[in-house]
Amino acid sequence: MGFLSMAFGIDDLLATGASGVNLSDTLVRVVRDRSKGDKLSSGDLESLFAEVKIAAIKNIDEAHVALNDLERTLREKDVDLDQTLLDAIGSTSFFRPFEAFRLRRAKRLFENLAEDAYRACDDIAAILRCSGEERVMGVAVVESSGVKREFQQMMFEASSHSIRSAIELLRDQLERQKTELNQ
């Protein structure tokens, strides 16, 4: 039974984190690339990009909190972070209610990162389409596609090595995205 409780906790949380990072990557690229280009023709459009950037940074900070909550929960549960994800799932008993609550909260923070990035990309794509600048979004999507594929492979390899590796990979990607947004 411990197998099921862990599978719906750690595994889902890491998968949701990877999904959030992937969706956020496209957003970061389009915001970064657009801010390097010409100023948008409308102050309203510039304001939208500024707000999207602020929200993305806030979501990235919350995703860091989610990773910290995951690590804290696993340490308190005496899970060896240097073991593989499968080993941890197989050897850990059910989570107590407060542990499950903490993991659900962390998962929700990653879901917010993904959902907000998706919505912002959708809004930006519509605005760029209306202003005749579809290419900006297209380039970001194409560039992000390769990065996402590479990241998914790295996540698979990292979780095969250790939970710590997977968490650190997520943390590194979030930090990279935040740095790019702050430039």
Side-chain angles (χ1 to χ4, degrees), residues 46-69:
E46 288 182 41
S47 296
L48 173 64
F49 272 87
E51 287 302 314
V52 164
K53 187 176 181 177
I54 290 166
I57 290 169
K58 178 181 174 274
N59 286 334
I60 288 170
D61 289 342
E62 288 176 351
H64 277 290
V65 169
L67 289 174
N68 293 340
D69 285 350

Side-chain angles (χ1 to χ4, degrees), residues 46-101:
E46 288 182 41
S47 296
L48 173 64
F49 272 87
E51 287 302 314
V52 164
K53 187 176 181 177
I54 290 166
I57 290 169
K58 178 181 174 274
N59 286 334
I60 288 170
D61 289 342
E62 288 176 351
H64 277 290
V65 169
L67 289 174
N68 293 340
D69 285 350
L70 172 62
E71 280 184 314
R72 180 173 55 130
T73 301
L74 294 176
R75 281 194 186 105
E76 289 173 2
K77 191 88 172 154
D78 292 324
V79 173
D80 180 5
L81 296 178
D82 292 318
Q83 65 183 325
T84 68
L85 180 59
L86 290 177
D87 289 341
I89 290 169
S91 65
T92 303
S93 62
F94 278 113
F95 285 116
R96 286 177 264 160
F98 75 90
E99 295 165 335
F101 173 82

Side-chain angles (χ1 to χ4, degrees), residues 123-168:
D123 291 344
I124 289 169
I127 289 169
L128 291 173
R129 229 180 351 267
C130 291
S131 63
E133 298 184 54
E134 301 93 347
R135 188 174 189 295
V136 173
M137 191 69 179
V139 168
V141 168
V142 168
E143 287 178 359
S144 186
S145 178
V147 171
K148 288 175 186 179
R149 220 175 2 267
E150 183 180 317
F151 175 68
Q152 287 296 85
Q153 181 62 37
M154 289 174 15
M155 271 301 287
F156 175 75
E157 291 172 9
S159 61
S160 296
H161 294 314
S162 71
I163 296 170
R164 184 184 317 279
S165 297
I167 291 171
E168 286 306 313

